[in-house]
Amino acid sequence: MGQSMRDIKRSIKSKEDIRKTTKALKLVSAAKLRRAQEQAQAARPYAEKLRDVIVNIAQGTTGSKHPMLVSRPIKKTGYLIITSDRGQAGGYNGNLLRKLLSSLKERHQSKEEYVIFVIGRKGRDFLKKRNYPVINEVTGLSDSPTFADVKEISEQAVRFYAEEKFDELYLLYNEFVNPVVQRPTEKRILPLAGDDLAESGQTGRTVYEYEPSQEEVLSTLLPRYAEALIYSALLDGKASEHAARMNAMSNATDNATEMIEALKLQFNRARQAAITQEIAEIVGGAAALE
C-alpha cells in the first residue's frame, strides 16, 4: 500500500531539514579545511630542514651509536595511530583502522608483540573495545592543534623506543594529498636507519659548525625530529579529516536532494491520482442522478 499524501509531505520536510544540516556542515568543513591545509603546509619546511641537518651530521659522523640510528632485532613494535574525535567523515577512520589491523595481522602472532598509542576518540574506542594493548591516548584536540597538545604522547613514544621497550615505531595517519584524495599511510619513523636518511635526496652537503660536538647535537635533534614527524602527521590528518567530512556532507546533500525530487514526483502522482478519482466520483454521481 502506497504512502498517503500527508506521509509523503512529512517525509519531504524531514529530508529538507537533513539537507540544510548537511549543507551547513559541508560549508563549515570547507572553511576549516582551508585553515588546516595552510597549517599543514607551514609545518613541512621545519621538518624537512631538520631532516637535512640530521642527514648532514649523520653523514659526517662516523661510527655513531645513537639508538635512533641503529636497527636492532625486533622483539616488540610500537604503533602510533592518528584518528578523529568525531564521525561523519566517510571512510576516514575506517580505512585507517583497517590498515592498522592488516599490519598487526601480517607482522604479529599475539598482542604481546606490540603496543599502540592512539590520538583521537574514534580510534581509542574502537581499539579498547576489542582489547588491543593501548598504552596512551590523546582525545579532544581542537581543529587547529598545537605541538603542546601531543607533546606528551610524542615524547613518550620516542622515549620508550630509546629505552628499548619496543624496537621500532610505526606512524599511521591519513596523508592529505588534495581535498578529494586522503591516503591512509604507514611510516616507520624509528629507527632512522641508513635507508631512511637516504630518502632525503640530498645531492650535496652543507658545511655546518657544531658546538659542543656533532654527536651531542645529533643526540638532541633526533628525538625532536621524530616528534616533529608525529606533529606534522597530525596536521596532515586534521586537513584530511576536514576534507573527508566536507566530501561526506557533500555526498549526503546530493543524496538528500535526489530523495526530495523522487518524493516530490511521488507526491505529484498521488495528488493527480486523487484529483482523477474525485473527478470520476463527481461524474459518476452526476450520471446516477440523470
Side-chain angles (χ1 to χ4, degrees):
M1 184 176 179
Q3 287 181 300
S4 68
M5 292 175 61
R6 179 179 297 177
D7 291 337
I8 296 173
K9 288 183 70 174
R10 187 181 297 114
S11 185
I12 290 173
K13 179 64 168 60
S14 173
K15 301 298 186 295
E16 287 176 340
D17 290 342
I18 291 172
R19 183 172 63 176
K20 288 179 183 178
T21 301
T22 56
K23 188 174 182 180
L25 289 173
K26 173 188 172 183
L27 295 175
V28 170
S29 295
K32 290 180 178 180
L33 171 60
R34 285 191 292 271
R35 293 193 294 269
Q37 188 174 355
E38 291 171 358
Q39 194 175 8
Q41 291 173 343
R44 287 171 185 167
Y46 171 77
E48 291 169 0
K49 187 60 179 178
L50 189 55
R51 184 188 188 98
D52 289 344
V53 173
I54 289 172
V55 170
N56 184 281
I57 301 174
Q59 290 176 345
T61 304
T62 58
S64 175
K65 298 300 181 182
H66 193 281
M68 293 179 68
L69 293 176
V70 179
S71 297
R72 55 185 185 242
I74 307 301
K75 299 176 183 177
K76 199 164 190 174
T77 302
Y79 294 89
L80 195 156
I81 181 169
I82 300 173
T83 63
S84 69
D85 286 319
R86 296 186 293 122
Q88 298 178 322
Y92 174 85
N93 293 302
N95 293 336
L96 191 60
L97 288 166
R98 279 193 293 272
K99 188 173 186 65
L100 172 64
L101 297 186
S102 176
S103 296
L104 296 178
K105 183 177 179 181
E106 179 182 339
R107 295 192 184 109
H108 308 292
Q109 301 297 320
S110 73
K111 294 179 180 179
E112 301 298 322
E113 297 179 358
Y114 58 87
V115 293
I116 303 174
F117 302 86
V118 184
I119 296 176
R121 186 173 289 109
K122 288 294 181 179
R124 179 202 66 182
D125 293 347
F126 177 89
L127 294 169
K128 283 195 169 183
K129 184 177 180 180
R130 291 159 179 78
N131 296 318
Y132 283 92
V134 175
I135 61 173
N136 200 356
E137 63 189 64
V138 173
T139 60
L141 293 179
S142 69
D143 291 318
S144 299
T146 64
F147 178 69
D149 295 327
V150 293
K151 186 174 187 293
E152 179 183 347
I153 194 170
S154 300
E155 287 182 345
Q156 184 183 34
V158 174
R159 186 176 71 254
F160 277 21
Y161 173 82
E163 295 172 353
E164 300 189 12
K165 293 184 178 179
F166 47 77
D167 304 296
E168 59 181 349
L169 177 63
Y170 285 90
L171 177 63
L172 289 96
Y173 66 101
N174 279 292
E175 179 185 5
F176 179 80
V177 180
N178 57 53
V180 178
V181 180
Q182 301 85 45
R183 185 184 301 125
T185 301
E186 179 185 82
K187 287 184 179 179
R188 191 184 77 159
I189 62 172
L190 292 174
L192 294 167
D195 292 340
D196 302 308
L197 295 174
E199 291 176 1
S200 65
Q202 276 195 334
T203 56
R205 290 185 58 209
T206 303
V207 178
Y208 295 97
E209 292 184 3
Y210 300 97
E211 181 68 31
S213 68
Q214 288 180 316
E215 289 77 7
E216 291 186 47
V217 171
L218 188 65
S219 179
T220 300
L221 286 184
L222 282 170
R224 301 289 83 77
Y225 175 58
E227 293 165 8
L229 288 179
I230 294 172
Y231 179 58
S232 180
L234 173 64
L235 297 180
D236 252 41
K238 274 295 180 182
S240 297
E241 177 189 346
H242 297 316
R245 185 169 292 112
M246 179 185 71
N247 294 329
M249 292 301 100
S250 177
N251 292 335
T253 302
D254 293 342
N255 291 338
T257 299
E258 291 179 6
M259 295 176 69
I260 290 169
E261 294 303 319
L263 287 169
K264 285 182 177 178
L265 181 60
Q266 184 180 350
F267 177 81
N268 289 335
R269 286 175 176 171
R271 183 173 61 179
Q272 288 173 354
I275 292 172
T276 301
Q277 183 177 354
E278 289 178 4
I279 292 173
E281 289 174 353
I282 292 171
V283 171
L289 293 174
E290 291 178 357

